[in-house]
Amino acid sequence: MVFVEARNLPSHVGIIMDGNGRWAQTHGHDRSAGHREGSAAVRRIVRAARRLGLKALTLYAFSEQNWARPEQEVDALMGLLREFLLGERDEILGNGIRLNAIGNIGRLPALVRAVLEPLRRESEGNDSMTLTLALSYGGREEIAQAARELATRVKAGTLETDKITAEALHGLMPSLTVGDPDLVIRTGGERRISNFLLYGLAYAELHFSDTLWPEFGEEDLYEAIASYQARERRFGKVGKAAPQRVTAGGQVIRLAV
Ligand code: IPE
Ligand code: IPE
Ligand code: MG
Protein backbone atom coordinates (compact mmCIF):
# COMPACT_ATOMS: atom_id res chain seq x y z
CA MET A 1 0.00 0.00 0.00
CA VAL A 2 1.46 3.35 -1.04
CA PHE A 3 0.39 6.63 0.53
CA VAL A 4 0.25 9.72 -1.61
CA GLU A 5 -0.36 13.04 0.13
CA ALA A 6 -3.11 15.12 -1.44
CA ARG A 7 -1.03 18.23 -0.85
CA ASN A 8 2.50 18.52 -2.20
CA LEU A 9 1.57 16.79 -5.44
CA PRO A 10 3.97 17.40 -8.31
CA SER A 11 2.19 19.76 -10.61
CA HIS A 12 3.90 18.63 -13.82
CA VAL A 13 4.93 14.99 -14.26
CA GLY A 14 6.84 13.75 -17.30
CA ILE A 15 7.13 10.08 -18.21
CA ILE A 16 9.67 8.36 -20.47
CA MET A 17 7.55 5.35 -21.36
CA ASP A 18 10.20 2.74 -22.09
CA GLY A 19 10.25 -1.05 -22.29
CA ASN A 20 7.56 -2.01 -24.82
CA GLY A 21 10.00 -3.93 -27.00
CA ARG A 22 11.47 -5.91 -24.11
CA TRP A 23 7.99 -6.69 -22.81
CA ALA A 24 7.08 -8.12 -26.24
CA GLN A 25 10.29 -10.11 -26.38
CA THR A 26 9.79 -11.72 -22.99
CA HIS A 27 6.22 -12.66 -23.96
CA GLY A 28 7.21 -14.05 -27.36
CA HIS A 29 5.41 -11.37 -29.37
CA ASP A 30 6.62 -8.95 -32.00
CA ARG A 31 7.52 -5.40 -30.97
CA SER A 32 4.27 -3.90 -32.21
CA ALA A 33 2.35 -6.10 -29.75
CA GLY A 34 4.46 -4.48 -27.04
CA HIS A 35 3.47 -1.04 -28.28
CA ARG A 36 -0.20 -2.08 -28.25
CA GLU A 37 0.10 -3.06 -24.57
CA GLY A 38 1.97 0.19 -24.02
CA SER A 39 -0.95 2.09 -25.43
CA ALA A 40 -3.27 0.42 -22.88
CA ALA A 41 -0.87 1.53 -20.14
CA VAL A 42 -1.11 5.11 -21.42
CA ARG A 43 -4.90 5.00 -21.00
CA ARG A 44 -4.55 3.68 -17.42
CA ILE A 45 -1.98 6.25 -16.40
CA VAL A 46 -3.84 9.21 -17.93
CA ARG A 47 -6.93 8.23 -15.93
CA ALA A 48 -4.93 7.75 -12.73
CA ALA A 49 -3.18 11.11 -13.17
CA ARG A 50 -6.46 12.91 -13.70
CA ARG A 51 -8.03 11.27 -10.66
CA LEU A 52 -5.02 12.25 -8.56
CA GLY A 53 -5.40 15.85 -9.68
CA LEU A 54 -2.11 16.37 -11.52
CA LYS A 55 -2.21 19.62 -13.48
CA ALA A 56 0.09 18.51 -16.27
CA LEU A 57 1.26 15.17 -17.61
CA THR A 58 3.82 14.99 -20.43
CA LEU A 59 4.28 11.62 -22.08
CA TYR A 60 7.30 10.83 -24.23
CA ALA A 61 5.63 8.74 -26.90
CA PHE A 62 7.98 9.04 -29.88
CA SER A 63 11.37 10.69 -30.11
CA GLU A 64 12.89 12.43 -33.09
CA GLN A 65 15.49 9.64 -33.01
CA ASN A 66 12.81 6.91 -33.08
CA TRP A 67 12.27 7.62 -36.80
CA ALA A 68 15.43 5.55 -37.33
CA ARG A 69 13.60 2.37 -36.26
CA PRO A 70 12.41 -0.17 -38.87
CA GLU A 71 9.62 1.23 -41.04
CA GLN A 72 7.21 -1.49 -39.95
CA GLU A 73 7.61 -0.54 -36.29
CA VAL A 74 7.24 3.18 -37.01
CA ASP A 75 4.05 2.48 -39.00
CA ALA A 76 2.66 0.37 -36.16
CA LEU A 77 3.40 3.16 -33.66
CA MET A 78 1.72 5.79 -35.85
CA GLY A 79 -1.32 3.55 -36.29
CA LEU A 80 -1.58 3.07 -32.53
CA LEU A 81 -1.24 6.78 -31.96
CA ARG A 82 -4.15 7.48 -34.31
CA GLU A 83 -6.19 4.75 -32.60
CA PHE A 84 -5.38 6.20 -29.19
CA LEU A 85 -6.48 9.70 -30.17
CA LEU A 86 -9.72 8.43 -31.72
CA GLY A 87 -10.45 6.13 -28.79
CA GLU A 88 -9.68 8.67 -26.06
CA ARG A 89 -11.47 11.61 -27.69
CA ASP A 90 -14.61 11.34 -25.52
CA GLU A 91 -12.61 10.65 -22.36
CA ILE A 92 -10.46 13.73 -23.02
CA LEU A 93 -13.27 16.12 -23.90
CA GLY A 94 -15.66 14.69 -21.29
CA ASN A 95 -13.18 15.19 -18.47
CA GLY A 96 -11.97 18.67 -19.25
CA ILE A 97 -8.52 17.51 -20.34
CA ARG A 98 -6.54 19.77 -22.64
CA LEU A 99 -4.63 17.74 -25.21
CA ASN A 100 -1.40 19.25 -26.44
CA ALA A 101 1.49 17.98 -28.55
CA ILE A 102 5.15 19.00 -28.64
CA GLY A 103 7.84 18.11 -31.13
CA ASN A 104 8.18 18.17 -34.88
CA ILE A 105 4.46 17.62 -35.50
CA GLY A 106 4.79 18.41 -39.22
CA ARG A 107 6.81 15.21 -39.60
CA LEU A 108 3.91 13.01 -38.43
CA PRO A 109 1.81 11.22 -41.06
CA ALA A 110 -1.24 13.15 -42.29
CA LEU A 111 -3.53 10.44 -40.86
CA VAL A 112 -2.24 11.20 -37.36
CA ARG A 113 -2.34 14.98 -37.78
CA ALA A 114 -5.92 14.73 -39.05
CA VAL A 115 -7.06 13.47 -35.63
CA LEU A 116 -4.49 15.26 -33.50
CA GLU A 117 -5.09 18.83 -34.67
CA PRO A 118 -8.92 18.93 -34.24
CA LEU A 119 -8.66 17.39 -30.77
CA ARG A 120 -6.01 19.91 -29.84
CA ARG A 121 -8.24 22.79 -30.97
CA GLU A 122 -11.42 21.44 -29.40
CA SER A 123 -9.78 20.81 -26.04
CA GLU A 124 -7.88 24.12 -25.98
CA GLY A 125 -10.13 25.75 -23.37
CA ASN A 126 -10.06 22.75 -20.98
CA ASP A 127 -8.19 23.11 -17.72
CA SER A 128 -8.60 20.08 -15.45
CA MET A 129 -5.28 18.63 -16.70
CA THR A 130 -3.01 19.29 -19.67
CA LEU A 131 -1.97 16.06 -21.35
CA THR A 132 1.02 16.72 -23.58
CA LEU A 133 2.20 14.09 -26.02
CA ALA A 134 5.84 14.42 -27.03
CA LEU A 135 5.80 13.22 -30.63
CA SER A 136 8.79 13.34 -32.94
CA TYR A 137 10.24 15.21 -29.98
CA GLY A 138 13.83 15.87 -29.00
CA GLY A 139 15.09 18.10 -26.20
CA ARG A 140 18.11 19.26 -28.20
CA GLU A 141 15.91 19.96 -31.22
CA GLU A 142 13.59 22.04 -29.02
CA ILE A 143 16.53 24.10 -27.71
CA ALA A 144 17.84 24.58 -31.26
CA GLN A 145 14.40 25.77 -32.40
CA ALA A 146 14.29 28.31 -29.56
CA ALA A 147 17.81 29.49 -30.48
CA ARG A 148 16.73 29.96 -34.10
CA GLU A 149 13.76 32.03 -32.94
CA LEU A 150 16.02 34.25 -30.81
CA ALA A 151 18.46 34.70 -33.71
CA THR A 152 15.58 35.70 -36.01
CA ARG A 153 14.47 38.36 -33.52
CA VAL A 154 17.99 39.72 -33.13
CA LYS A 155 18.38 39.86 -36.91
CA ALA A 156 15.05 41.66 -37.24
CA GLY A 157 16.22 44.17 -34.65
CA THR A 158 13.42 43.35 -32.18
CA LEU A 159 15.71 41.76 -29.56
CA GLU A 160 18.95 42.96 -27.99
CA THR A 161 21.53 40.21 -27.51
CA ASP A 162 21.84 41.00 -23.80
CA LYS A 163 18.14 40.11 -23.46
CA ILE A 164 18.99 36.51 -24.35
CA THR A 165 18.60 35.18 -20.85
CA ALA A 166 17.76 31.79 -19.39
CA GLU A 167 14.21 33.10 -18.89
CA ALA A 168 13.94 34.25 -22.51
CA LEU A 169 14.90 30.78 -23.70
CA HIS A 170 12.49 29.22 -21.22
CA GLY A 171 9.66 31.30 -22.63
CA LEU A 172 10.28 29.80 -26.06
CA MET A 173 10.08 26.16 -24.98
CA PRO A 174 6.72 24.62 -25.89
CA SER A 175 7.39 21.80 -23.39
CA LEU A 176 7.49 24.29 -20.51
CA THR A 177 4.31 26.30 -21.09
CA VAL A 178 2.80 24.12 -18.33
CA GLY A 179 5.78 24.87 -16.09
CA ASP A 180 8.97 22.95 -15.41
CA PRO A 181 8.55 19.22 -14.82
CA ASP A 182 8.59 18.56 -11.06
CA LEU A 183 8.98 14.82 -11.45
CA VAL A 184 10.26 12.78 -14.39
CA ILE A 185 9.72 9.04 -14.35
CA ARG A 186 11.50 6.58 -16.62
CA THR A 187 10.20 3.03 -16.80
CA GLY A 188 11.97 0.01 -18.28
CA GLY A 189 15.12 0.00 -16.15
CA GLU A 190 17.43 2.33 -18.08
CA ARG A 191 18.93 5.24 -16.16
CA ARG A 192 19.08 7.84 -18.89
CA ILE A 193 17.16 10.79 -20.27
CA SER A 194 17.29 9.99 -24.01
CA ASN A 195 16.74 13.59 -25.16
CA PHE A 196 13.58 14.27 -23.12
CA LEU A 197 12.77 17.80 -21.81
CA LEU A 198 16.45 18.73 -21.50
CA TYR A 199 16.01 22.41 -20.68
CA GLY A 200 13.21 21.86 -18.18
CA LEU A 201 15.03 19.06 -16.35
CA ALA A 202 17.26 21.53 -14.48
CA TYR A 203 15.61 20.89 -11.09
CA ALA A 204 13.28 18.00 -11.81
CA GLU A 205 13.24 15.07 -9.42
CA LEU A 206 14.02 11.82 -11.23
CA HIS A 207 12.43 8.45 -10.56
CA PHE A 208 13.62 5.31 -12.32
CA SER A 209 11.42 2.25 -12.31
CA ASP A 210 12.46 -1.21 -13.48
CA THR A 211 8.88 -2.01 -14.48
CA LEU A 212 8.44 -2.27 -18.25
CA TRP A 213 5.96 0.32 -19.53
CA PRO A 214 3.21 -2.15 -20.55
CA GLU A 215 3.15 -3.36 -16.93
CA PHE A 216 3.28 0.08 -15.34
CA GLY A 217 0.10 0.60 -13.35
CA GLU A 218 -1.61 3.05 -11.03
CA GLU A 219 0.30 1.71 -8.01
CA ASP A 220 3.63 2.33 -9.76
CA LEU A 221 2.60 5.92 -10.44
CA TYR A 222 1.64 6.36 -6.77
CA GLU A 223 4.99 4.89 -5.73
CA ALA A 224 6.84 7.41 -7.91
CA ILE A 225 4.82 10.28 -6.46
CA ALA A 226 5.30 9.07 -2.89
CA SER A 227 9.06 8.97 -3.54
CA TYR A 228 8.87 12.54 -4.88
CA GLN A 229 6.98 13.64 -1.78
CA ALA A 230 9.62 12.21 0.53
CA ARG A 231 12.34 14.40 -0.99
CA GLU A 232 13.46 17.88 -0.15
CA ARG A 233 13.87 20.10 -3.17
CA ARG A 234 16.47 22.75 -2.55
CA PHE A 235 16.97 24.54 -5.89
CA GLY A 236 20.54 25.35 -4.91
CA LYS A 237 19.55 26.88 -1.57
CA VAL A 238 20.14 25.60 1.94
CA GLY A 239 17.65 22.99 3.08
CA LYS A 240 15.12 23.32 5.88
CA ALA A 241 15.98 20.13 7.76
CA ALA A 242 19.19 20.03 9.77
CA PRO A 243 21.67 17.56 8.27
CA GLN A 244 21.62 14.21 10.05
CA ARG A 245 24.31 11.66 10.68
CA VAL A 246 23.61 8.04 11.36
CA THR A 247 26.01 6.46 13.86
CA ALA A 248 27.38 2.95 13.63
CA GLY A 249 24.70 1.87 16.10
CA GLY A 250 21.99 3.13 13.75
CA GLN A 251 21.12 6.11 15.97
CA VAL A 252 20.31 9.36 14.23
CA ILE A 253 22.19 12.38 15.54
CA ARG A 254 20.90 15.79 14.55
CA LEU A 255 23.88 17.97 13.75
CA ALA A 256 23.93 21.55 14.89
CA VAL A 257 23.90 24.05 12.02
C1 IPE B 1 9.27 2.65 -25.69
O1 IPE B 1 9.54 1.31 -25.74
C2 IPE B 1 8.39 3.10 -26.82
C3 IPE B 1 9.07 3.95 -27.80
C4 IPE B 1 10.30 4.33 -27.74
C5 IPE B 1 8.28 4.39 -28.93
P1 IPE B 1 10.74 0.70 -26.60
O2 IPE B 1 10.19 0.33 -27.95
O3 IPE B 1 11.89 1.61 -26.64
O4 IPE B 1 11.06 -0.59 -25.78
P2 IPE B 1 12.48 -1.23 -25.51
O5 IPE B 1 13.35 -0.19 -24.89
O6 IPE B 1 13.01 -1.70 -26.84
O7 IPE B 1 12.21 -2.37 -24.59
C1 IPE C 1 13.06 7.01 -25.22
O1 IPE C 1 13.20 5.65 -25.33
C2 IPE C 1 12.00 7.50 -26.16
C3 IPE C 1 10.63 7.20 -25.77
C4 IPE C 1 10.26 6.58 -24.69
C5 IPE C 1 9.62 7.68 -26.69
P1 IPE C 1 14.25 4.97 -26.33
O2 IPE C 1 14.03 3.51 -26.22
O3 IPE C 1 14.12 5.55 -27.68
O4 IPE C 1 15.64 5.41 -25.72
P2 IPE C 1 17.08 4.75 -25.81
O5 IPE C 1 17.32 4.45 -27.25
O6 IPE C 1 17.03 3.51 -25.00
O7 IPE C 1 18.01 5.75 -25.22
MG1 MG D 1 13.55 1.77 -25.45
Side-chain angles (χ1 to χ4, degrees):
M1 189 64 155
V2 185
F3 290 99
V4 171
E5 289 176 60
R7 50 173 197 89
N8 189 25
L9 275 177
S11 147
H12 178 190
V13 174
I15 308 184
I16 303 171
M17 308 181 292
D18 195 28
N20 295 351
R22 278 162 286 161
W23 182 89
Q25 203 174 18
T26 54
H27 289 79
H29 302 309
D30 62 10
R31 293 182 60 88
S32 49
H35 295 312
R36 181 166 293 281
E37 283 301 309
S39 185
V42 173
R43 291 183 171 86
R44 276 200 306 273
I45 295 306
V46 169
R47 282 184 182 78
R50 183 178 56 74
R51 278 199 300 266
L52 261 177
L54 301 186
K55 292 313 290 176
L57 178 67
T58 299
L59 300 178
Y60 201 10
F62 193 82
S63 76
E64 188 72 6
Q65 288 67 32
N66 288 151
W67 289 112
R69 293 190 178 198
E71 198 181 321
Q72 197 196 351
E73 180 172 349
V74 172
D75 288 350
L77 278 162
M78 292 302 145
L80 284 167
L81 176 57
R82 183 181 151 88
E83 234 177 71
F84 171 82
L85 292 166
L86 288 170
E88 291 304 280
R89 193 188 144 78
D90 291 349
E91 170 88 13
I92 288 170
L93 294 175
N95 288 294
I97 297 175
R98 178 172 157 246
L99 181 94
N100 198 9
I102 51 168
N104 189 354
I105 303 306
R107 206 174 164 184
L108 298 174
L111 276 172
V112 170
R113 278 183 285 126
V115 288
L116 175 65
E117 295 303 351
L119 190 51
R120 207 175 174 179
R121 275 195 302 277
E122 279 173 72
S123 66
E124 213 166 32
N126 291 351
D127 65 357
S128 77
M129 178 175 89
T130 299
L131 170 62
T132 304
L133 300 179
L135 301 168
S136 191
Y137 175 86
R140 286 183 170 179
E141 287 77 2
E142 185 182 28
I143 294 170
Q145 171 61 37
R148 273 196 296 280
E149 175 59 29
L150 290 174
T152 305
R153 292 181 191 182
V154 170
K155 202 172 167 198
T158 58
L159 181 72
E160 305 281 333
T161 45
D162 61 3
K163 296 278 184 334
I164 299 179
T165 56
E167 290 71 28
L169 263 169
H170 193 285
L172 290 169
M173 303 279 163
S175 64
L176 306 179
T177 52
V178 290
D180 286 350
D182 299 296
L183 168 66
V184 169
I185 301 167
R186 182 176 186 137
T187 68
E190 310 289 4
R191 267 71 174 156
R192 57 176 172 257
I193 296 302
S194 303
N195 209 12
F196 189 45
L197 304 182
L198 294 183
Y199 200 77
L201 277 174
Y203 279 102
E205 296 297 331
L206 306 178
H207 179 87
F208 296 101
S209 162
D210 289 331
T211 304
L212 301 171
W213 177 250
E215 284 169 351
F216 197 80
E218 239 173 283
E219 280 285 310
D220 299 290
L221 177 69
Y222 299 157
E223 197 179 304
I225 292 176
S227 141
Y228 166 88
Q229 292 181 327
R231 306 179 194 186
E232 184 189 34
R233 302 181 78 188
R234 291 195 281 276
F235 301 96
K237 299 173 193 156
V238 173
K240 280 191 214 81
Q244 293 182 344
R245 193 173 62 196
V246 181
T247 63
Q251 256 186 316
V252 173
I253 298 172
R254 192 167 285 270
L255 297 176
V257 277

